[in-house]
Amino acid sequence: MVVKLWRSVDDGMSFEVVKTFASAEIRHIHFIKWDVYEKCLWMGTGDYGEGNRECCLYRSEDNGVTWSLIGQGSQDWRAIGVCFTEDALLWGTDAGSCSDTVHFIRMDRKTREIEVVADFEGPCHGCASYRDGRAFFSTGVEGGENELDRFSRMKLLVAGRPVNIWQLEKDMWPLILQYGVMRFPLGSDQCDRVVFTTMGLKGHGETVMIEK
């Protein structure tokens, strides 16, 4: 199936195709996010393909008109979002339904080299960075073979490493109805207040959480 990326420059009144992925080039687009440091867009895709070719990270310097491939060919490039610091991009991999270990990744802005900083207990379903320098990451429960248990976890970046600060168990309902996840809204990089949504978790189904 051909996947197309559409862009609007008039607040959604009209759209144009700016990039077309050929059939089997990718399964789908995971995210597009504005980088306040490099003043560019980043795009992540997934999920599998021969040699993990569908797992890619792209960068655009012209508001999405053209895209440069930064990394490809490993589950370590499979991200549902990225967090930004002055010297790096950070993400957790979305490799829940495959044999690869789920990793927390740091990509150096200058060299574009990636480093596995830590392992996660399950696939990363959410991430958000904030104006005050904080960055949060969440793992989910989707029944993948490499998940350690049935808990969704919230992690805070401390001294460059993700630290668990909260966890909730998957609720009683089948995974086909809803994975157990914690997800952040896009566009948090210039915000100070943490907001996220919990879904499919014990005591916190379809709940919006707001920092006091």
Side-chain angles (χ1 to χ4, degrees):
M1 180 180 69
V2 172
V3 177
K4 295 181 179 180
L5 174 63
W6 298 74
R7 185 185 73 153
S8 175
V9 294
D10 56 6
D11 296 324
M13 297 302 294
S14 63
F15 287 85
E16 61 176 336
V17 176
V18 292
K19 185 172 179 58
T20 299
F21 294 94
S23 179
E25 188 175 357
I26 65 169
R27 180 186 180 191
H28 50 207
I29 296 171
H30 283 160
F31 71 91
I32 296 176
K33 194 171 182 181
W34 175 253
D35 185 343
V36 297
Y37 294 100
E38 293 189 31
K39 307 300 182 185
C40 68
L41 289 169
W42 293 92
M43 174 171 61
T45 67
D47 288 317
Y48 302 107
E50 184 178 353
N52 289 309
R53 68 174 183 275
E54 297 177 352
C55 303
C56 304
L57 183 67
Y58 292 87
R59 182 178 181 274
S60 174
E61 295 181 332
D62 53 11
N63 294 315
V65 177
T66 59
W67 295 87
S68 300
L69 179 62
I70 302 300
Q72 181 186 30
S74 163
Q75 287 291 315
D76 286 340
W77 291 104
R78 181 180 168 183
I80 49 80
V82 291
C83 283
F84 302 118
T85 66
E86 189 172 356
D87 57 357
L89 271 65
L90 308 167
W91 65 84
T93 62
D94 181 35
S97 299
C98 64
S99 59
D100 293 51
T101 301
V102 182
H103 291 146
F104 176 69
I105 303 294
R106 180 186 185 276
M107 187 186 79
D108 186 273
R109 285 191 183 275
K110 292 182 179 179
T111 65
R112 304 299 193 211
E113 293 182 358
I114 62 173
E115 170 192 4
V116 176
V117 177
D119 294 341
F120 276 179
E121 300 86 350
C124 184
H125 279 270
C127 67
S129 46
Y130 294 85
R131 181 165 52 189
D132 59 11
R134 290 182 297 171
F136 293 84
F137 304 84
S138 67
T139 65
V141 180
E142 59 181 51
E145 59 186 284
N146 58 11
E147 295 173 20
L148 296 185
D149 52 35
R150 288 176 55 84
F151 283 87
S152 173
R153 291 171 171 84
M154 180 70 67
K155 300 170 182 288
L156 173 64
L157 191 69
V158 178
R161 298 187 67 86
V163 176
N164 290 333
I165 59 172
W166 194 40
Q167 68 180 38
L168 292 171
E169 190 175 1
K170 175 70 177 76
D171 63 18
M172 63 179 288
W173 299 105
L175 290 163
I176 194 172
L177 297 180
Q178 173 61 62
Y179 292 156
V181 297
M182 304 178 189
R183 288 178 175 160
F184 299 89
L186 292 174
S188 62
D189 300 277
Q190 293 302 302
C191 298
D192 297 313
R193 197 175 190 185
V194 180
V195 177
F196 62 94
T197 303
T198 59
M199 294 181 286
L201 299 170
K202 284 186 177 180
H204 292 80
E206 304 292 338
T207 305
V208 177
M209 312 294 291
I210 303 176
E211 183 180 33
K212 293 182 178 180

